[in-house]
Amino acid sequence: MDKIQMTTPLVEMDGDEMTRILWSMIKEELLLPFVDLKTEYYDLGLEYRNETDDQVTIDSANATKKYGVAVKCATITPNAARMDEYHLKEMWKSPNGTIRAILDGTVFRAPIIVKGIEPCVRNWKKPITIARHAYGDVYKATEMKIPGAGKAELVYTAEDGMETRELIFDFTGAGIIQGQHNLCDSIESFARSCFTYALDVKQDLWFATKDTISKKYDHSFKDIFQEIFDAEFKEAFDAAGITYFYTLIDDAVARVMKSEGGYIWACKNYDGDVMSDMISSAFGSLAMMTSVLVSPQGFYEYEAAHGTVQRHYYKHLAGEETSTNSVATIFAWTGALRKRGELDQNEALMVFADKLEKACIQTIEEGKMTKDLALITSIENPTVLNSQEFIRAIRQTLEGNL
Ligand code: NAP
Ligand code: MG
């Protein structure tokens, strides 16, 4: 069989620890034998980030702006322990944060659905994708403890010195206050990323806030979404046969539980933090969760939702066998390859991405899986494979289907 040709390179962002090991196995077994893989390679492994003073992360994000599609391996976000472990010059920032800041994107997380790994919520049949706004609100709030009686106010001083005041509370005793903010630009970008992604995957978009209580703050989110939808996306949504649906956050939560899934749920920062953990654990496993960063200009960066699986890596280094699930990382590759195919009108590449995804699902549904899935599957007597065997089993299924 001739290898599938590519016309434009993918931006390849390599990473750390166990996922770095999986990364090269996936390329070796599942990509290079079938695709004449073109990538522009950036090593985001912590050692090279440190060597380049993190410039490599910035370069990789800029390359994503140039080519439009990136695929990223999980990376270490340094903490105090990593400073010693890797002899770091600085506690470098989270690469995901740096890339997100440059691309101004929104992260969409979706579970990979497989028969035999059933969601806790019985009626969920299709994935629920969470889009979390990643700026502001309580994450950038200013807080104060109020020691006793006194008046607390919000004060805005315009550049010309004009002051606008709003009373927060006339305290008669001790209390607490919190000042939150957000930016119209950021909310607009969030809205555009959500509408763009919904069109891309042809799924309905839900959005919810508490605008009945928060008549200026949350209501601004609601208004900005509606204005951008009406002005820029309504026609395309109609043509694609999908809808934009706004409701109150508490109503949304109730509807999500009763739904069968199959839509994107856009969340404010805090709601997204909380709800994405609920959705991913209810669907089964973080190792079966994909993640894509979509910029309002339509640049895409695909990755797995889990981290570098450090505990397994140390076992690997000690020469012990590991059974690490590579599905989310494989789906990061297929997501990127499919998107590249779409942009380049490369049908063969898109078909390959579909077939590789199907091969992963089929392999698991036939009872061959890694340990994390074997612990939660409803399939009887699953065959537990190690990291390498699992990838080879997927290759066998794929070759059978090609
Ligand atoms: P983690 O790598 O997601 O792993 C946490 C635990 O979840 C693992 O120990 C393992 O449980 C299980 N797990 C996760 N992915 C798995 C997989 N593919 N197959 C099987 N089991 C899996 O989170 P962490 O240990 O908290 O973080 C490790 C490093 O990852 C940190 O340095 C952090 O900064 C980084 N991180 C990066 C990203 C990213 O790049 N997007 C995201 C999160 C964290 P058992 O040990 O019980 O088997
Ligand atoms: Mg959280």
Side-chain angles (χ1 to χ4, degrees):
M1 201 191 82
D2 285 343
K3 284 192 192 180
I4 296 159
Q5 296 298 309
M6 290 177 68
T7 47
T8 319
L10 282 177
V11 178
E12 176 183 353
M13 304 168 173
D14 207 343
D16 287 300
E17 301 195 310
M18 199 58 211
T19 41
R20 189 180 179 98
I21 309 278
L22 297 178
W23 194 259
S24 66
M25 286 184 195
I26 290 167
K27 284 173 68 179
E28 199 62 36
E29 295 282 344
L30 301 175
L31 302 174
L32 293 171
F34 309 101
V35 180
D36 193 21
L37 196 65
K38 275 202 175 67
T39 71
E40 194 165 290
Y41 180 85
Y42 292 86
D43 184 0
L44 267 52
L46 185 51
E47 273 169 33
Y48 194 63
R49 271 185 276 149
N50 190 52
E51 214 175 295
T52 61
D53 295 339
D54 210 22
Q55 185 61 38
V56 64
T57 308
I58 296 165
D59 292 346
S60 72
N62 287 327
T64 307
K65 283 185 164 175
K66 178 173 166 197
Y67 293 111
V69 188
V71 55
K72 181 178 170 294
C73 180
T75 46
I76 293 169
T77 297
N79 55 16
R82 301 295 198 170
M83 293 290 290
D84 295 336
E85 187 184 352
Y86 284 83
H87 310 291
L88 301 180
K89 298 185 227 170
E90 258 182 58
M91 205 186 283
W92 306 110
K93 284 191 215 147
S94 144
N96 287 37
T98 302
I99 296 165
R100 195 165 59 212
I102 293 173
L103 297 181
D104 184 23
T106 298
V107 173
F108 297 81
R109 279 182 155 201
I112 299 158
I113 307 265
V114 182
K115 277 193 219 92
I117 313 290
E118 314 299 343
C120 304
V121 181
R122 263 178 294 131
N123 42 284
W124 286 356
K125 304 285 180 233
K126 299 177 199 162
I128 296 169
T129 301
I130 294 266
R132 173 182 170 188
H133 185 214
Y135 181 82
D137 304 348
V138 72
Y139 301 86
K140 285 227 187 275
T142 303
E143 307 187 327
M144 204 188 275
K145 284 192 172 176
I146 303 294
K151 191 166 70 171
E153 289 178 300
L154 286 177
V155 182
Y156 162 68
T157 313
E159 275 180 332
D160 66 5
M162 267 281 288
E163 278 186 4
T164 314
R165 287 168 179 270
E166 254 341 301
L167 178 70
I168 297 173
F169 198 66
D170 229 335
F171 286 91
T172 53
I176 41 180
I177 56 173
Q178 181 185 63
Q180 292 190 24
H181 81 278
N182 220 301
L183 305 171
C184 293
D185 272 355
S186 173
I187 302 168
E188 285 167 16
S189 292
F190 175 49
R192 286 199 179 89
S193 294
C194 289
F195 291 129
T196 303
Y197 189 70
L199 278 173
D200 197 42
V201 296
K202 298 212 167 36
Q203 288 182 11
D204 292 344
L205 179 71
W206 295 18
F207 182 44
T209 71
K210 195 71 183 172
D211 66 281
T212 46
I213 300 297
S214 172
K215 290 189 166 59
K216 286 183 183 145
Y217 198 101
D218 276 20
H219 213 290
S220 296
F221 279 82
K222 177 184 180 183
D223 290 344
I224 287 171
F225 264 68
Q226 194 63 50
E227 281 157 23
I228 290 179
F229 178 70
D230 291 341
E232 299 171 29
F233 291 94
K234 191 174 183 323
E235 277 173 34
F237 266 55
D238 288 345
I242 57 173
T243 55
Y244 168 56
F245 171 63
Y246 178 86
T247 187
L248 282 171
I249 185 69
D250 35 353
D251 180 48
V253 169
R255 284 173 189 260
V256 164
M257 295 311 282
K258 291 187 172 168
S259 75
E260 63 163 31
Y263 49 84
I264 299 154
W265 182 11
C267 292
K268 285 180 62 198
N269 210 349
Y270 175 83
D271 298 339
D273 185 352
V274 176
M275 292 308 168
S276 68
D277 283 358
M278 183 194 76
I279 296 278
S280 63
S281 57
F283 268 106
S285 164
L286 204 57
M288 295 293 282
M289 197 75 157
T290 61
S291 184
V292 54
L293 176 75
V294 182
S295 85
Q297 294 86 17
F299 306 130
Y300 292 77
E301 182 239 296
Y302 294 84
E303 64 170 351
H306 59 77
T308 60
V309 211
Q310 181 183 14
R311 211 179 61 81
H312 295 206
Y313 180 60
Y314 288 157
K315 277 177 72 179
H316 171 83
L317 288 182
E320 289 173 47
E321 188 170 80
T322 60
S323 180
T324 315
N325 189 339
S326 45
V327 170
T329 306
I330 297 170
F331 272 61
W333 276 101
T334 53
L337 289 170
R338 186 185 297 103
K339 176 53 73 181
R340 194 64 269 164
E342 228 175 274
L343 295 175
D344 296 348
Q345 285 155 5
N346 185 341
E347 183 73 24
L349 199 56
M350 291 161 71
V351 170
F352 175 76
D354 289 345
K355 287 195 169 159
L356 179 48
E357 288 184 358
K358 283 209 185 86
C360 293
I361 290 168
Q362 192 184 327
T363 305
I364 297 168
E365 290 180 349
E366 284 169 0
K368 289 170 263 180
M369 59 192 79
T370 43
K371 194 172 156 195
D372 57 309
L373 296 183
L375 289 170
I376 57 171
T377 187
S378 57
I379 296 173
E380 279 175 37
N381 304 317
T383 309
V384 182
L385 302 177
N386 68 33
S387 307
Q388 178 114 45
E389 288 167 348
F390 180 59
I391 290 174
R392 293 215 170 119
I394 293 168
R395 177 169 179 176
Q396 227 171 29
T397 313
L398 175 66
E399 282 174 337
N401 293 349
L402 280 176

